Structure formats: C-alpha cells, structure tokens
Amino acid sequence: MDSGKVVHRRKPGIPVIGSRASQKSHRHQEVNAKSLDLSKVIHLLEDPLTTNLKERHLFVLKKLLKKSQIGFLLKELTAIAKILNICAEKVTDHPEYVPILCEALTICRLPFLKEKTSDELHYAQDVTEFLSQMGCLMRVSDAEVRQLIFECVKSFYSSVAPKQMLDGLQPTSPGYRLQLLERSELAQTLLLSMATLENQPTIKLQLLHILQILSSCSDMNCSSILHPRGAKTVCLHMNDYDPTGQVLFRSSEILWNLLERGNKEEVTAQLGTLECVLSLKEAFFHLLNTGSGHSDLQLRNDLLVITTLIAESPGSQLIESSFAKQLVVFSTFPELKSHNPLIRNLKLSYSNEDLKMKKLLLNLLVVMSRDLAALQLYKEERVMLALLALMKPPVASSSERQSGSRHWSAAQKEDLQLQALATLATIGPLMLEEYISCEGSTCLLLLLDWCVGPDSYFGQGHSFHATGGRGGKKAQTRHCIRVLRSVTSLGEESVNQDLCDQGIINQLLGILMQIDAGPDEDDVVTLEIKSDIQVILSTLCETDMHRKELFGSEGVEMAVHFLKKGSDKFYSGLGHNKLVLSTVDCVWSCIVGCYTTEDYFLVKEGVFLLLNLLSTSPRCVHGVVLATLLELCDNPNTLPYILTWRDGNGQTAPRLLLQLWREEEEELGVHRNQHGGIADPQRSILSLFQLDEPQLSFPANVPSAAVLEMSENLRSKIYSIFCKIGFQDLPGLLGKDYVTLTIIRRYLDFKVGEVWDEISQELSLEGVRPISPDQEALSTICKIAEDTARRIVEEQNSILEHHQKEDISEEKLTYTEMKSRWKQKEFMAKSWDDYVSRTSNYEALKEVKAQREKYAESSRPKPKHEDAAIRPAEHFIGHVVGVESTDAQGPAGVKVTLVRTPVRAPTCPYPHTHHNSEGGTKL
C-alpha cells in the first residue's frame, strides 16, 4: 500500500515538469510578442483613421494591461508612458478611459521588471521620464486617478511583494525607483498640481501628505519642490478650509522638512514675503485663540519657530505686516498689564507648551533686535520693563503672587528668568535709555546680591541657559555677569559711573574671591564667571584713576592670586586660557597707571609672577604680558625687580627677553646666521612676509608694511623694555645673547631705514623723481642703515671671537683642574697603599720606624753630657696591630685588629722622646 502511494506520487511528477517548462516558454514568447505590439497600440491610438474607435482602444488596452499584471518591463516604460499620456488626453471627452488609467497606475505600484542586470543602468533615463510623466497625470480631474497616483508614490517607500515571476524576468532592486524618483520631476509636478485641487479638499490633503513624505526623505526632492517656489505655495494654502485641521499640520511639516533638508536661505526668502507672513500670522492667531489640545499647542510653537527663522532673513516683512508688533505684545504678557485687545482675552494654561511659547517669544526679541524698527517697537511696548520683571529673584516675586491664581511653577520661572537675562544681554546695550530709566543696573546688582547670598535655592538646571546651575544659583550668576559685561563694554560713562557709585568694584572683587574659594573652581561655568568679572573690572577702571584707587590693595591681592595659578591648564579646553588673558588685562587696566596700586603690586612680587607667566605661557600670551611689563617699567621701582628675577633654571629676565626675540624672528622668517647674527646687511630685520609682499603704493593715511609689522609682533615691545632696563651690565647673558643684543640696540635705526626704503620704492613706483639734493639725501639715509648693519656685523664677530677666546681659556682651566684632581687622587691612593703596607706587615712597620728614628737622630743635636742620656728603665703597654685583606676595594678591603701587650722599654737613646699616659711611645 505504501509503495503504491509512492508510485502514484512519482507518476504525475514527470508530465507536470514538462508542462510547466512549456508553459513558461510560451509565456516568454507572449512577453516578446507583447513588446512588439506596443508600437501598434500607439499607432492605433494616434492614427487619425482609428482615433475614434473607442471600443477597439479599450479592448486592446485591457488586453495589454492584462498581460502586464506582474509589472511593466523597463524597456517598455517609454511606450507605456506615451500610451498613458494619450489616454489622459482622451479622458476629458471619454471618461471610459479612466479605468484604464486606474488599472495602469495599480500596476505601477509593483516593482519594474528587468531581463538583464544591466537594464537598471541602461533604462535609468526612461524610468526617470516615466516617473515625471506619471506626475503629469494629475491633470486628470478624476479623484480616483489622483488617489492612485498618491498610492503609487507611497508604494515606492514600502516593500510591495512582486507577483510570481516568469523565467528570465527579475524585479528591480528596492531602492532603484527611489533613486530615480529624486532625479525626476515628480515632486515638482505634484506641487504644481495643487492649484487644480481647490474643489477636492480630500485629494489636496493627500497631496500634502505625499509632499511631506517626499520632502522628509530626500534633499533632492526638497530642491525640486523649492524650485517652483514650493515653500510659498504650501504656506499660502495652509489656511484653506479643512474641518480636520490636517492641512495646517501637513503644511507646517512640509515647511519644516524644507528648512531642515533644503536651502534654508531660499526657504526663508520665499516665506518672508508679505503674503506668506500674513498667512503665517493668520494660522498662528487661529491656533493661539482656538487651540486647546496638546497637538494644537505644539503646532502653534512650530509656527513660531518658523517665524523666528524668517525673522533672521534680512528681507522679511514681519514688521511691515504688523505681525512683529503683535508678537512683541505677546512677549510682555503676563508680566505687564495691557489694554491691547489682542491679549485682553488671552489666557495661558501655564503648561510646558505655553512655557515654550514664552521662551520662543523672548528669543524672537533677540533675533528681531538687529532691525532698528524693531527696537522702536520694543520701546513702545515696554519690553525692557517686562524683562526686568522676569529676572527678579524668586523671593522678591513670590510676594506678588495672588492666592488662588495660576502662575508659573518654580522650575518654569527659573527658565524664564534665565531666558530673560540672556535676552537682556543682547537688548540691553541697544536700549540704554530704557535701561537707565528702568534702573536696570540697580536691578542687576540686587539680583547679584541674591545670587551670592546665603539664601537656600535649588536650581533645577533643566533648560539650555541653566547649564551648570543645578542645585544652586550659578546659572543666574553667570547670566547676570554677562548682562553687566555687555552693558559696561559700551563705555557709556553714565552707566559705568552709576555702577561704580553703587559699589560694583568691591562687590565684584568679593564675589570673585568667594567663587574661586568654592569647591568647583575649575568647571566651565565658574571659569567663565571669573573671567567675565575681570573683564568688567578692566572696562570700568581702564580710563579712570579714581576707580583704580578703588580697586586698591584688595584688587591687587586678587590679581596676584590668579597670576600665581600660572598657565599650566591653558589648553585644558575649560576656559583657563580666557582667565589667564583676563587676569593680565586686569593688571594692565586696573593697576598700571596708579602708583599706589603699582607699588603694592611690586611689593607682592607681581613683576616676578608676570615674568614667570612670560616664561611658561604659550606664544599667544606673550604680547599682552610684554605690554603690561612695558607699562610697569615707567615706574622706576620696577627695574630692580626685573633685573633680580630668576626662573627655575636660573635664567634672568634679559636672557628670557633675548630668547623670545630669537623665537619671534624665527617665526617671522628673518634671515640669521648660525650664531644668530645678521646674515644680510641689506635685510637686517626684514621678515619673510615683507620680502614676499609685492611692492605697492599706499595712501598717506594708510600705514605701510614696515609700520604695521611693529604692531603685529613682539620685537618692538622687547626693544622698548630694553630701552628701560638698559643695554649694559645685564646679568646672566651668554655669547649668543650679546650677539642678539647688538641687533636689538639698533632696532629703531633699522626700522627708520626700512621706512625710508619704502618711501624710495613708492616714489619709483609712482614715477616721481626727487630733486637732486633730496635724491642725494635719500640715498645717504638709505645707505646709513646698511652701514649700521655692517658695523653691527663687525661688532658681532668681535663678540664671538672674544667669547671664543674665553671659552678656550676656560677649557684650559678646566683641564688643569681635572689634571690636579687626578694627581691628588693618585697621591691619596699611594698614601693609602703605604698605610696598608705598614699596618699589615710588622717588618715593614719596624723598617719605617727605624727610618724615622734615623731621621730623628740625624736632625737632633748631640747631648753635652752622657749622663743626660741615661734614663731609668720603664715598662709600657704596646699596641700590636693585625691586618687582614678582604675582597673589597679600597679602605673597606682591610680588616684591622688592635692588641695591647706589656713590653719592656729598651734604653732610649733619644733624650727628647715623650711617653704617653698609657705607657706608649709617641714617635
């Protein structure tokens, strides 16, 4: 039974395979025949003799579409596009062609078919034109055709499974149609068709959805949409009647996509026209007055962001449309009471979306402040007063809350306070009159007192402006200092004097030292606050002697404290570089020029700290440090400090300055020989930039290259400092330093020669020939600089020869010292060997003793009486020394053993021999 079943399964298997193969071959032949029939179909549709055979047309087209149910071949798309175009033209008079179009568009949802892999590349242009032609079918007024076009476009972004394929046919790759869609004009054609959809709101909504899809996925599609002023077209239709509210949503999404993926400048230029601004205004007020849901509030804020981007465009019509004035009024609500009908019935829910709208309005004030006309609106609507009200400390503003009334939460109020401070930092300097009339400085100083006060306050730190301020008032301090910096930087004397009268100098000094003593002294926010405070102090004290006196000893202590930190963290990326520069600038602006503070700064070794900073800091800091030292050199008490300074390696200040000079000339490309001397007397101090610069003629009021070069590098400052400390008797210099010093001493002469050379060259360029006496004087002056350079070269050679002789003499002295040291070592080694031989060998010891006795006998006079030489016999304790040698070298290799034993003293022939207390004999 089982075997019968197996046979039954195998028997029908053979004929089935054969029939399938023949069927596929037959279908392949049909496909080839079909491709040949397309030209006949087109001829049937276009031939004047058969153009009215509607039934024949429909029969042939249905038959053609029936054979293409699995998809259109790539090589047939050109013919298919022509057939669909002919049908679209006939639809107006013969609606019977609509089903043909619908069925063809349904097939277009399927992937195109290819016979070869190379067909995708070969027929790419045909596919692009087909997709463009498909968009042209939007001229057919039938809603079903238009809807199928949209469905077809959607299918490009979804994976539609192809039907069963025939042998030799394959679907195109998934991204093939999308890639060619970007190159086609489909998006542009769909946009232009919006004008034909006034009576079909449903189809218009679907079209907006398709444009949203196209613009969200491709930059090229966005460019295609923008080309026929698509942003303006979408904006003008965003307020069309739509009970669902989707038209406004889709339109705003399309505008967002165009701004993000398209050309932002082009989009804002299209939206900045008066018609578009009025359309945006209408949509915004509609949502502001009627929107209640979360999505409506989000859409309202999106429109406000788009408006802000439009305001950044220089040619926007926001002010001309009165939209800007109304937005300014909204920005002051609810802080200011107003009888304006726009906000009389406006109610806020104080939700997060309302908070975002409020912050966007404040940001819009900053953006529009570039326009002077907008500043006039700010004055009329009392924007300054509203900002000062928003920035009040929470403690002060809590008393103003009415019981039972809705208001901003603590976190929301913190966000608005910081946003108001950020806005005031930009608007305050532009509206100084309103700032002064509203007593802005007083409000800022009160807020600053609250920021550093002992009151407990826990900052939420959620917003952008609250960075680094979580758990405290650091964010408020940061932005308050920013506002003060922006206001004082204008140099308005009335504002700065008002701040000084209220004690801002001592207040800022106290805050600065308090912040620096905190636990987080090296974070980004803290470093910014400290550097900004120093900038404010520098601005206030720079030109006023009385304020420098107010800066006083407390300010000097502050500057010295920060100078001691050095520049080790200059490249940390946290802001230490700004702090170093602001500290030096603070010394220059607040200390230099007032002898009282200068002397105290010198006593606190401030010059030493500046020189330490000069020796360790990067090159970008050297200019301001040298300028500060140069200004301090006007005080005669400064020079001894400069001359007595030494760094960790013992380097003196003059030598440090000479090293900086050489490094600066190397950076400038000045040609020097191997010893640092002048290599070319004709170009003694010319930089590489001056040599490569083309010879030009400058107007009388424009400085030449030789003059500009002095302000752009350090050489003029170093020369000026040496003029203060002198060029003679400088400590710690080497031969190379003296060579460099000769150049510095003549730096001004060389500069004068450069200027005269430039004058001579400019006269030649302009074709002006001086009179003979002037020409002779000019030539003599130019030659003087070269002669000076040659004398300097001779002097440098003399210096080098002198130091070379000194080096040779020092070298000889060194070798002499080395030779004497070696002789001393040899003598010590020989003495040690003698000592070891005496102490280790008793016979040698006796021999040495005998020699000594012999020498002593020969050197002493003989006694006059023989009895005087007779002495009684005595006993004494003798010392016996035993010596053993070990493997160690030198004295450590000898082991000495001392033994005492009584020895009978022999008759001493020496009357002058002395005996010690222990009975020993002293030789």
Side-chain angles (χ1 to χ4, degrees), residues 16 109 117 398 423 463 516 632 638 675 820 825 861 903:
V16 167
R109 297 174 59 186
T117 305
S398 61
T423 305
S463 66
D516 189 70
L632 282 171
T638 304
H675 302 291
S820 63
K825 289 181 180 180
V903 179

Side-chain angles (χ1 to χ4, degrees), residues 773-790:
D774 291 344
Q775 182 65 40
E776 183 179 355
L778 185 60
S779 301
T780 303
I781 293 173
C782 294
K783 189 178 179 181
I784 288 175
E786 184 177 349
D787 294 341
T788 302
R790 296 187 186 279

